[in-house]
Amino acid sequence: MRKNIKTTEAIFPMPVLMIATYNEDGSVDVMNAAWGTMLERNQVILNLTETHKTVKNIKERKAFTISIADAAHVVEADYFGVVSGNNTPDKFEKSGLTTTKSELVDAPIINEFPLCMECEFIQYQDGEYGCGVIGKVVNTTADESVMNGDTVDIEKVAAIAFDPYTHGYYKVTERVGNAFKDGMQLK
């Protein structure tokens, strides 16, 4: 039997994305965003309102990075979601994390997060059904510690996902199937 429940951001799991930009003074700004996905193979969309300091920075700098949060840095990742860059301009410094400037876009790469997409800003859409930053992914990097040869090992990444029902973070680590193959058993 099924039970009706409260509607929320009901798609689970939701990614825990660290969106990083530079502020006007060159300092680093990072926000935690769960509402983001691939729009096309080399494009991303982030559902962010214009009131975010990060969105202002993206529009100004025409660039941003997206890092995949991992279990080893859940405290820092959550901090970037509960503290606003509009009110706490030095929030990144308080995290204790470090960055390297991207060689391809005007945005920082957070060294401690294992996966990062470097993005050029394409456009900001604002409409009746939401808003969003759209970016073109110009480069993706992975720390060697999460690689098996030339392939990212998601178990080593230990990415975290957001559960909107309980407001919990969960580690994504166990492979349970093979996409585009297992279903062939029913063909």
Side-chain angles (χ1 to χ4, degrees):
M1 182 164 163
R2 300 186 66 81
K3 181 178 179 179
N4 292 331
I5 61 174
K6 179 183 175 191
T7 299
T8 185
E9 308 89 41
I11 297 176
F12 173 82
M14 295 177 78
V16 181
L17 306 173
M18 301 294 103
I19 315 304
T21 62
Y22 287 121
N23 293 312
E24 311 83 36
D25 64 1
S27 62
V28 175
D29 174 70
V30 182
M31 75 172 290
N32 177 327
W35 292 17
T37 192
M38 299 304 296
L39 185 60
E40 292 185 17
R41 183 170 296 277
N42 69 339
Q43 291 182 359
V44 294
I45 187 163
L46 307 170
N47 190 351
L48 307 174
T49 61
E50 288 185 284
T51 58
H52 290 291
K53 176 70 172 155
T54 305
V55 173
K56 294 173 188 171
N57 291 343
I58 289 170
K59 287 180 166 185
E60 179 68 28
R61 298 284 186 146
K62 308 293 185 216
F64 59 98
T65 59
I66 301 174
S67 294
I68 307 300
D70 64 346
H73 300 97
V74 69
V75 170
E76 295 88 344
D78 191 57
Y79 173 73
F80 294 138
V82 297
V83 175
S84 169
N86 287 320
N87 303 324
T88 310
D90 63 342
K91 77 176 186 176
F92 182 75
E93 288 74 28
K94 290 182 178 184
S95 75
L97 300 181
T98 61
T99 63
T100 301
K101 184 178 182 337
S102 165
E103 294 179 12
L104 300 174
V105 299
D106 187 17
I109 296 170
I110 305 170
N111 298 322
E112 290 78 7
F113 292 120
L115 295 175
C116 181
M117 292 181 282
E118 300 162 63
C119 303
E120 293 175 349
F121 175 61
I122 295 175
Q123 71 176 342
Y124 185 82
Q125 294 182 341
D126 191 9
E128 179 182 355
Y129 298 105
C131 51
V133 170
I134 299 175
K136 177 182 178 184
V137 179
V138 297
N139 191 41
T140 303
T141 61
D143 189 275
E144 290 179 355
S145 67
V146 299
M147 303 287 293
N148 278 336
D150 292 334
T151 305
V152 173
D153 182 335
I154 196 68
E155 291 182 15
K156 291 180 180 179
V157 171
I160 56 174
F162 172 64
D163 170 13
Y165 292 106
T166 67
H167 294 165
Y169 293 113
Y170 291 85
K171 186 165 55 168
V172 179
T173 57
E174 183 182 352
R175 184 181 184 124
V176 296
N178 300 296
F180 312 110
K181 185 175 180 186
D182 290 351
M184 298 303 284
Q185 298 173 47
L186 302 176
K187 211 170 172 186

